[in-house]
Amino acid sequence: QAELTESGGDSVQRGGSLTLSCAASSEIYMQYCLAWFRQAPGKERQAVAIFYSSANVAYYGDAVKGRFTASLDNPKNTMYLQMNSLQPEDTAMYYCASASCLPTNYDCRESYCYNEQRFSVWGQGTQVTVSS
């Protein structure tokens, strides 16, 4: 069964760190590319980090560049999101999702790359709350 399961969400203080995990079924991990999105109450879902091709280079949303790092653990079929210097505006439900991989030379600054519409399988989400 194709599925994604997030974990690791918590409540932290401003400036703190968290690591989220996304465990993927082998069916998804072997055939698709993974990504992190987040959605705050009353706001649209936004891309956080996207592994868009088989080269496993991550594209990061502007709001998290330099603070968040996404990584892959192939033996564990798991994607991680290391989040540092957390701010109250990082408070959101964090989701992992999967989509068909794009060519390795694709420019992920193109909106199609980080458009949530192209991601077909989603996890249930994990809540991150950052207090000031």
Side-chain angles (χ1 to χ4, degrees):
Q1 184 175 355
E3 60 181 21
L4 299 167
T5 305
E6 303 94 335
S7 61
D10 205 345
S11 296
V12 297
Q13 299 266 348
R14 178 198 298 264
S17 297
L18 273 178
T19 300
L20 306 183
S21 300
C22 170
S25 61
S26 57
E27 174 185 346
I28 288 181
Y29 198 87
M30 297 302 291
Q31 299 184 55
Y32 298 96
C33 283
L34 300 178
W36 287 103
F37 286 80
R38 68 184 184 185
Q39 187 167 23
K43 296 189 176 181
E44 293 185 353
R45 191 150 49 187
Q46 65 175 182
V48 175
I50 300 175
F51 290 104
Y52 58 94
S53 77
S54 60
N56 292 336
V57 174
Y59 160 89
Y60 293 94
D62 289 340
V64 306
K65 280 180 184 176
R67 299 187 299 124
F68 291 12
T69 303
S71 62
L72 298 168
D73 187 334
N74 292 338
K76 295 183 178 180
N77 290 354
T78 300
M79 176 177 62
Y80 299 99
L81 185 67
Q82 173 67 44
M83 305 184 294
N84 297 325
S85 301
L86 284 162
Q87 303 298 315
E89 52 266 34
D90 295 316
T91 295
M93 185 72 79
Y94 284 71
Y95 299 90
C96 61
S98 66
S100 296
C101 296
L102 300 172
T104 55
N105 62 349
Y106 197 90
D107 185 351
C108 201
R109 292 170 296 179
E110 297 288 335
S111 61
Y112 176 75
C113 184
Y114 51 84
N115 188 326
E116 64 173 287
Q117 298 295 325
R118 75 178 186 91
F119 291 83
S120 57
V121 179
W122 293 80
Q124 82 289 348
T126 187
Q127 178 68 39
V128 173
T129 302
V130 185
S131 60
S132 55

